[in-house]
Amino acid sequence: MRSRLLLILQIVIPVLSLSILAVYAGFQFISDYCNDTVPDTTSIYVYVVDRVFDELNRNYAGARGIVPEDETALITYDDIPEISTWDGVEDIYVFSDADFSRFEDRVIEDGTVKAGIPADAVRYYGGCSGMGSVFGSNIPEQMPENSDGYVVYEYYADRKNSPPVIVADEPDILLYYKYDPSTWDMILEDLNDYIIREDAISDAEMLITVDGNSKELQQRLMKEYPASNYSSAEFTKTWKDEHNRQLSVRILTAAVSVVLITVAAEVLFGILRKKAAHSKNES
C-alpha cells in the first residue's frame, strides 16, 4: 500500500508542479510582458510625475550603466537655457501652463480656438503630454508643420460633435513656447504672474527636438536629471528590453527551481519506494 501511494505521488507531483509552473509563466507573461510601441522619432519628451529617481528611471539607468550625479535632481525652468546649449539639442518646446489656462478660457468664451503644438507632442507623446486628452485621437499620418515646427489644431468647445481638426491657419495661441534666449525672461515673468494669480505650481515640461541620434542626449539627461521623467525611442526601447529580460529571468529562475525540486522529490520517492518494497519482501 505504501509503495503504491509513493508511486502515485511520483506521478502526481511532477504533473502538478509543471502545471503550476505553466500557469505561473503564462500569467507573468500575459500580465507583465511589455509590448509598448517605441516612438519613431529622435525627439525626447520631458515631464514630471514622481519627482524622484523612481523604478522606471532606475530600470533604464541600470540597463545603460548610468550612475546619476544627484538622484534628487529635477529639470527646472532655470536649467533650460543651459540644456539648450547641449550637443544634439535642436529646439526646446516648453509647455506653457499660463497659455493652457488662457486656452481653456478662450474656448469657453469664443467656442473655438486655433492652438499651436509641436507635432511630436501629439503623435508620439499624447499620453505623457496630456495632448491626447485635449485633442482626442484625431491624429492623421500627415501632420503639416509651419515654419516654427507647430501643427495648428482648431479646437471646438463641443468636443463630442466637433472634434479638433488640423488647419493651415496661424494659431491663436501656442500651448508650447519655443525656447528663445531673447524672450525667455518675458516667458518666465508671464509664468510667475500665472502662478501667483492662480495660486498654482508649475513643473518644467518640454519636447526636445534632436539634431541626430538622441541616445547620448537621453543618457546625459538621465545622468544629470534622474528625478525627471522621460519618453523617447531610446528610453522606451531600453526600458522595454530590460524589463522583458528581467521578466524572462524571473520565469527561468522559477522554472529551474521547480524542476530541481521536482527531480529531488522524484529521487526521494524512488528511494522510499525501494525501501518500502524491500521491507515488504523481508516480511
Side-chain angles (χ1 to χ4, degrees):
M1 183 68 179
R2 183 183 175 189
S3 178
R4 182 177 298 179
L5 177 61
L6 291 171
L7 176 60
I8 293 173
L9 289 175
Q10 239 181 325
I11 297 172
V12 170
I13 286 180
V15 173
L16 184 61
S17 298
L18 293 176
S19 298
I20 293 174
L21 176 61
V23 171
Y24 168 80
F27 176 78
Q28 287 290 313
F29 187 84
I30 293 172
S31 64
D32 205 20
Y33 184 81
C34 179
N35 55 6
D36 290 352
T37 301
V38 177
D40 185 21
T41 177
T42 59
S43 65
I44 299 173
Y45 199 86
V46 182
Y47 60 109
V48 177
V49 174
D50 303 296
R51 309 181 69 88
V52 295
F53 185 47
D54 66 348
E55 182 180 355
L56 288 176
N57 288 359
R58 287 182 185 278
N59 194 15
Y60 171 81
R64 288 300 187 195
I66 297 172
V67 179
E69 297 176 354
D70 176 3
E71 292 189 359
T72 66
L74 184 77
I75 295 176
T76 68
Y77 290 100
D78 292 335
D79 298 312
I80 292 175
E82 169 63 25
I83 294 175
S84 71
T85 67
W86 287 8
D87 290 341
V89 174
E90 186 174 40
D91 288 306
I92 298 179
Y93 294 87
V94 185
F95 179 76
S96 173
D97 285 302
D99 282 322
F100 185 74
S101 176
R102 286 190 283 265
F103 161 74
E104 291 179 311
D105 293 339
R106 288 187 60 173
V107 170
I108 295 173
E109 294 173 3
D110 302 338
T112 179
V113 175
K114 299 180 183 71
I117 56 175
D120 278 12
V122 172
R123 181 187 287 125
Y124 300 111
Y125 307 120
C128 54
S129 70
M131 292 297 100
S133 60
V134 174
F135 294 99
S137 58
N138 182 28
I139 307 175
E141 291 184 6
Q142 299 298 322
M143 299 181 70
E145 303 176 22
N146 63 22
S147 59
D148 290 323
Y150 292 96
V151 171
V152 180
Y153 267 89
E154 187 168 22
Y155 186 80
Y156 301 89
D158 186 357
R159 300 186 194 180
K160 183 176 181 180
N161 298 323
S162 302
V165 296
I166 293 177
V167 296
D169 304 337
E170 287 299 310
D172 299 318
I173 196 166
L174 295 176
L175 298 187
Y176 283 77
Y177 161 74
K178 189 174 182 178
Y179 175 76
D180 183 341
S182 66
T183 57
W184 184 236
D185 288 342
M186 290 187 296
I187 296 299
L188 290 183
E189 183 178 347
D190 183 45
L191 174 64
N192 288 331
D193 289 342
Y194 158 78
I195 291 174
I196 294 172
R197 182 177 67 253
E198 301 293 335
D199 190 25
I201 60 173
S202 180
D203 292 310
E205 182 174 335
M206 69 200 78
L207 174 76
I208 303 176
T209 59
V210 179
D211 180 15
N213 192 314
S214 62
K215 181 177 179 179
E216 291 185 3
L217 179 59
Q218 176 65 85
Q219 292 186 25
R220 182 176 180 183
L221 286 167
M222 181 62 68
K223 183 177 179 63
E224 298 193 23
Y225 300 103
S228 288
N229 295 97
Y230 303 96
S231 185
S232 66
E234 156 67 11
F235 184 93
T236 302
K237 185 179 186 307
T238 302
W239 189 93
K240 176 181 177 179
D241 290 346
E242 177 63 14
H243 175 82
N244 289 339
R245 185 193 68 79
Q246 292 179 8
L247 174 63
S248 299
V249 169
R250 290 201 304 272
I251 293 175
L252 180 60
T253 300
V256 170
S257 299
V258 168
V259 169
L260 290 177
I261 292 173
T262 302
V263 169
E266 288 291 283
V267 171
L268 177 61
F269 287 135
I271 294 173
L272 292 176
R273 281 186 61 211
K274 286 184 179 181
K275 288 185 177 180
H278 181 69
S279 299
K280 183 178 179 181
N281 292 334
E282 287 183 345
S283 62

